[in-house]
């Protein structure tokens, strides 16, 4: 029996996205061409264009697919499901470490190419917009629960939390200094809590003490 056309199509799309990610991670975004993707995936260029009309479509599809293949939505939902704002801040750090490290190569390639590549620039703007929205949600929750450090406004704290999502910070500590994920999570959590949380006993601190 012949494999159904839609099943073949899904397999081809999967192979094309995997090839796209591999090229970006190993050679950088400038090396990404439709011909290179076809060769890496083992298909014809016609097959690439059958599913993705442009390079922009291909890059955008890869970015969107990361949410599913890396369970980014599930990881992020764990932040919003926490019982209090300080626990949410702690889980935010855990989310960054467990999720962003897995896709760091793709993110860095897009970040580095944004100044010369229109596709990368559009993708990076979308990414940063999403990060800023998430940062504001974390900070606004701290403020609503009276746990935001008094020297911060919501706006300044949001901007600072967003800035601390720097890929360079993750790369330096995890790869150059070879910090383990556990150490990275613990140290960044301590830094975030000291920076954003009002002093004094609170549910997040009590929970952390019990776990220790």
């Amino acid at each position: 029996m012949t494999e159904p056309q839609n099943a073949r199509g899904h397999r081809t799309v999967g192979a094309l996205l995997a090839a796209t990610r591999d090229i970006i991670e190993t050679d950088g975004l400038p090396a990404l061409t439709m011909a290179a993707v076809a060769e890496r995936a083992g298909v014809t260029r016609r097959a690439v264009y059958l599913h993705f009309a442009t390079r922009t479509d291909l890059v955008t599809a890869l970015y969107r697919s990361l949410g599913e293949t890396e369970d980014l939505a599930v990881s992020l939902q764990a932040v919003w499901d926490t019982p209090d704002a300080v626990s949410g801040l702690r889980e935010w750090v855990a989310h960054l470490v467990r999720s962003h490290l897995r896709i760091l190569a793709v993110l860095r390639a897009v970040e580095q190419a944004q100044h010369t590549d229109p596709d990368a620039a559009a993708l990076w703007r979308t990414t940063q917009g999403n990060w800023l929205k998430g940062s504001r949600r974390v900070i606004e929750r701290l403020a609503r629960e009276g746990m935001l450090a008094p020297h911060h406004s919501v706006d300044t704290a949001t901007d600072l939390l967003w800035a601390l999502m720097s890929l360079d910070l993750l790369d330096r500590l995890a790869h150059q200094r070879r910090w383990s994920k556990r150490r990275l999570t613990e140290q960044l959590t301590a830094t975030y809590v000291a920076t954003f949380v009002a002093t004094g006993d609170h549910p997040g601190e009590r929970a952390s003490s019990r776990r220790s």
Side-chain angles (χ1 to χ4, degrees):
M1 295 180 63
T2 303
E3 185 180 22
Q5 185 174 356
N6 61 342
R8 291 199 303 273
H10 285 306
R11 290 182 57 152
T12 300
V13 168
L16 293 173
L17 295 180
T20 300
R21 182 172 184 176
D22 187 48
I23 291 170
I24 290 174
E25 290 181 340
T26 57
D27 305 320
L29 196 61
L32 184 68
T33 65
M34 302 298 256
V37 171
E39 181 179 359
R40 190 73 58 98
V43 301
T44 64
R45 289 180 62 181
R46 180 178 179 277
V48 180
Y49 284 106
L50 180 64
H51 297 282
F52 301 101
T54 66
R55 183 172 176 269
T56 301
D57 293 341
L58 187 59
V59 174
T60 301
L62 172 62
Y63 176 76
R64 291 175 177 171
S65 74
L66 292 176
E68 300 177 2
T69 59
E70 300 295 340
D71 291 327
L72 300 184
V74 174
S75 178
L76 186 58
Q77 188 60 44
V79 177
W80 315 134
D81 289 342
T82 51
D84 60 81
V86 178
S87 297
L89 179 64
R90 293 177 179 275
E91 190 63 31
W92 177 259
V93 177
H95 162 67
L96 297 183
V97 173
R98 67 176 168 249
S99 297
H100 285 198
L101 279 181
R102 292 203 301 264
I103 62 174
L104 185 60
V106 174
L107 291 174
R108 293 227 69 167
V110 175
E111 180 188 38
Q112 292 166 2
Q114 64 171 312
H115 301 295
T116 57
D117 190 309
D119 296 344
L123 192 57
W124 191 245
R125 285 194 299 271
T126 298
T127 300
Q128 294 307 299
N130 290 337
W131 288 4
L132 191 61
K133 289 178 183 177
S135 297
R136 177 168 289 277
R137 184 171 176 179
V138 171
I139 294 301
E140 286 180 341
R141 188 180 182 190
L142 283 171
R144 284 197 308 272
E145 296 182 15
M147 296 308 304
L148 182 62
H151 55 275
H152 284 305
S153 69
V154 169
D155 287 342
T156 59
T158 295
D159 288 348
L160 184 56
L161 183 60
W162 168 78
L164 286 172
M165 295 175 70
S166 166
L167 301 181
D168 191 48
L169 183 148
L170 285 179
D171 190 23
R172 289 187 179 198
L173 295 178
H175 298 147
Q176 297 183 39
R177 301 306 304 160
R178 300 186 182 280
W179 281 20
S180 66
K181 288 184 179 180
R182 179 176 179 179
R183 183 183 182 189
L184 187 58
T185 301
E186 289 176 349
Q187 294 298 322
L188 287 182
T189 297
T191 299
Y192 278 41
V193 170
T195 301
F196 296 106
V197 177
T199 57
D201 191 30
H202 52 73
E205 286 182 343
R206 292 197 294 272
S208 178
S209 298
R210 287 196 296 270
R211 287 194 294 270
S212 300

